């Protein structure tokens, strides 16, 4: 099983700041990596797939990068609606696995 | 598109439940589908996958032999048959649609809660 590790677990940031979230895989997943956003009481929402392809309708302030074992989700200027939990997921090998999540909270 | 789950509830350990996921607004039979669960206060765990034609299913080890994923493309509906339920199966269960040409999940249902408790 591929283990996905996200860091940090919690990030306190101010609106307008630029933030980068990290995700590491225990072995190469090529570019088979997705990022999801989840707000309390809601289902996850796809942000990025193929490591760097934005989902339909996603604002351009979100971007993804990386391949192999190291990936980054960057939000260029945080908006109030961006405070949520973010998960990475690999779908290169079954079982598909998620990271434990990074919580973005308001500083 | 939209996905709407149903069938969750409270069940005793060792019991069974059948979850359904009704799809609309897209051509269901074209897409691979998955179930993902989330225990209370915890992260996301992928549970099972089924190919668009229903011919291939894959499961996480913890549910193999107990859960069965299936679909009825004539009814645009996905199912998860859950048997021999354990306390650790308690979670919100989401159905999810895969991206065309990829395997990420671009459409999720609202989830249905399954509680396994005596």
């Amino acid at each position: 099983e591929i283990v996905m590790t996200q860091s940090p677990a919690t990030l306190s940031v101010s609106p307008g700041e630029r933030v980068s979230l990290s995700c590491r895989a225990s072995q190469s997943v090529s570019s088979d990596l997705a990022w999801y956003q989840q707000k309390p009481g809601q289902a996850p929402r796809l942000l990025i797939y193929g490591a760097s392809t934005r989902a339909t309708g996603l604002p351009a302030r979100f971007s993804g990068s990386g391949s192999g074992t190291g990936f980054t989700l960057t939000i260029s200027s945080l908006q109030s609606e961006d405070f949520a939990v973010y998960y990475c997921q690999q779908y290169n090998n079954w079982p598909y696995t998620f990271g434990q999540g990074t919580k973005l909270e308001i500083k | 598109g939209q996905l709407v789950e149903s069938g969750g509830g409270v069940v005793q350990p060792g019991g069974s439940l059948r979850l359904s996921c009704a799809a609309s607004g897209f051509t269901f039979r074209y897409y691979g589908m998955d179930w993902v669960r989330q225990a209370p206060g915890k992260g996301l765990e992928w549970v099972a996958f089924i190919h668009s034609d229903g011919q291939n299913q894959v499961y996480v080890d913890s549910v193999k032999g107990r859960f069965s994923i299936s679909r009825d493309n004539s009814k645009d509906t996905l199912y998860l048959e859950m048997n021999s339920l354990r306390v650790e199966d308690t979670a919100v269960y989401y159905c999810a649609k895969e991206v065309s040409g990829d395997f990420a999940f671009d459409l999720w249902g609202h989830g249905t809660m399954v509680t396994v408790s005596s």
Side-chain angles (χ1 to χ4, degrees):
Chain A
E1 173 177 316
I2 297 175
V3 176
M4 307 300 292
T5 303
Q6 292 185 243
S7 59
T10 304
L11 197 52
S12 297
V13 292
S14 300
E17 285 188 14
R18 177 187 178 93
V19 65
S20 292
L21 283 59
S22 175
C23 174
R24 291 213 161 270
S26 60
Q27 64 188 72
S28 176
V29 298
S30 186
S31 294
D32 297 330
L33 189 286
W35 290 94
Y36 301 88
Q37 177 194 70
Q38 189 178 33
K39 297 180 180 179
Q42 296 185 17
R45 169 197 179 194
L46 177 65
L47 303 176
I48 301 286
Y49 63 96
S52 61
T53 302
R54 274 193 294 273
T56 302
L58 186 70
R61 65 179 182 273
F62 291 90
S63 63
S65 63
S67 67
T69 61
F71 302 88
T72 302
L73 174 70
T74 300
I75 309 173
S76 60
S77 178
L78 274 167
Q79 306 297 302
S80 58
E81 61 266 29
D82 299 336
F83 291 94
V85 178
Y86 292 81
Y87 294 96
C88 63
Q89 177 219 1
Q90 68 81 19
Y91 48 90
N92 183 259
N93 276 309
W94 281 306
Y96 296 162
T97 47
F98 291 87
Q100 81 279 16
T102 291
K103 182 178 181 181
L104 277 187
E105 59 179 31
I106 300 176
K107 191 172 185 179
Chain B
Q2 187 176 14
L3 297 170
V4 178
E5 301 96 336
S6 60
V10 181
V11 62
Q12 291 188 338
S16 299
L17 276 178
R18 187 196 200 201
L19 306 184
S20 298
C21 169
S24 61
F26 65 97
T27 308
F28 180 71
R29 66 182 183 275
Y30 286 172
Y31 296 94
M33 297 292 296
D34 298 75
W35 287 96
V36 177
R37 66 184 178 183
Q38 187 169 36
K42 302 297 184 182
L44 300 167
E45 179 183 34
W46 171 82
V47 173
F49 156 83
I50 188 167
H51 191 270
S52 57
D53 63 10
Q55 293 304 302
N56 184 35
Q57 303 90 32
V58 186
Y59 302 90
V60 69
D61 280 352
S62 60
V63 309
K64 278 181 186 174
R66 301 188 300 122
F67 289 14
S68 178
I69 186 172
S70 62
R71 64 192 295 161
D72 186 337
N73 285 346
S74 69
K75 295 182 178 179
D76 292 345
T77 303
L78 176 73
Y79 303 99
L80 186 67
E81 188 78 39
M82 303 187 295
N83 298 311
S84 302
L85 281 161
R86 304 168 179 168
V87 171
E88 55 266 33
D89 295 319
T90 295
V92 174
Y93 284 74
Y94 297 100
C95 61
K97 165 190 165 290
E98 295 188 351
V99 175
S100 177
D102 198 90
F103 298 98
F105 309 145
D106 66 345
L107 182 65
W108 295 66
H110 56 84
T112 187
M113 183 70 204
V114 172
T115 302
V116 185
S117 173
S118 55

